[in-house]
C-alpha cells in the first residue's frame, strides 16, 4: 500500500494515520490509491474535486491526467463544475433528470450546444437556488427546454 500512496503523492509513512488526520485533498488521493489497488482499466470519479481549494483541485486533476496517460486508465468523470469537466474531458454527456440530453466531443458540446438545457448550463447557478439569476422571462424553479420523455 505504501507504493500506492507514494504513486498518488502521499508519504507512505502516513499509512497508520486516522482518516481525520488527512486534509480533503489527501483524502481524495487516498481514494484514488484505493481504486488503483484493484489495477482497474476504468475509474469512475464522482465529483473528484468538489469542495476542494482551487490549487488542490488542480493537483488532483493533474494526478488523474497523469494516471490516464501513464497507466492507460480510462476515466468517467461525474461533476457539476463545468470548468473542470471541460478541462479534463475528451467527450461529454449532459444529463437532465437522469436522461442524457446531449453528448459529443467536449469542444462540440461546449462550443455549439444543441439542447436548450445544455445551452443554459454555463449560467451562474441553477434557477432553483433562491436568489440566483435566471434568464428574463424564465419562471422561478423551472429549467429551460422540454421535459425528458
Amino acid at each position: 500500500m505504501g507504493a500506492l500512496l507514494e504513486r498518488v503523492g502521499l508519504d507512505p509513512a502516513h499509512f497508520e494515520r486516522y482518516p481525520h488526520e488527512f486534509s480533503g485533498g489527501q483524502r481524495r488521493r487516498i481514494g484514488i490509491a484505493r481504486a488503483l489497488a484493484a489495477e482497474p482499466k476504468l475509474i469512475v470519479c464522482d465529483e473528484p474535486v468538489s469542495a476542494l481549494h482551487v490549487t488542490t483541485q488542480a493537483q488532483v486533476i493533474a494526478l488523474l491526467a497523469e494516471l490516464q496517460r501513464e497507466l492507460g486508465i480510462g476515466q468517467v468523470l461525474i461533476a457539476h463544475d463545468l470548468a473542470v469537466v471541460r478541462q479534463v474531458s475528451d467527450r461529454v454527456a449532459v444529463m437532465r433528470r437522469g436522461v442524457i440530453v446531449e453528448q459529443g466531443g467536449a469542444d462540440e458540446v461546449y462550443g455549439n450546444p444543441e439542447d436548450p438545457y445544455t445551452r443554459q448550463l454555463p449560467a451562474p447557478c441553477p434557477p432553483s437556488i433562491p436568489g440566483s439569476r435566471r434568464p428574463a422571462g424564465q419562471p422561478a424553479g423551472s429549467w429551460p427546454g422540454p421535459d425528458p420523455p
Side-chain angles (χ1 to χ4, degrees), residues 10-148:
L10 295 173
D11 185 345
H14 294 162
F15 181 75
E16 298 295 326
R17 284 187 177 182
Y18 290 100
H20 72 274
E21 296 178 300
F22 292 99
S23 70
Q26 289 172 322
R27 290 178 189 179
R28 302 294 167 92
R29 290 173 180 272
I30 291 168
I32 294 169
R34 290 177 64 195
L36 292 176
E39 298 180 4
K41 293 182 180 184
L42 177 74
I43 297 177
V44 177
C45 304
D46 190 359
E47 298 286 355
V49 296
S50 67
L52 295 178
H53 184 273
V54 68
T55 304
T56 306
Q57 284 184 354
Q59 292 169 349
V60 172
I61 288 169
L63 172 62
L64 290 171
E66 176 184 314
L67 294 172
Q68 185 177 28
R69 190 175 50 254
E70 293 180 7
L71 303 177
I73 297 174
Q75 298 171 11
V76 174
L77 180 81
I78 302 165
H80 290 89
D81 186 333
L82 299 179
V84 169
V85 173
R86 187 169 196 173
Q87 180 181 356
V88 302
S89 302
D90 297 321
R91 294 192 49 79
V92 174
V94 177
M95 292 184 76
R96 177 173 185 232
R97 298 181 182 164
V99 176
I100 294 176
V101 295
E102 187 161 1
Q103 63 182 318
D107 291 337
E108 175 187 336
V109 171
Y110 279 91
N112 189 26
E114 294 180 9
D115 187 82
Y117 178 76
T118 306
R119 285 194 296 270
Q120 182 64 33
L121 287 179
C125 53
S128 61
I129 297 174
S132 67
R133 297 185 320 201
R134 62 183 173 274
Q138 183 73 37
S142 67
W143 202 252
D147 286 335

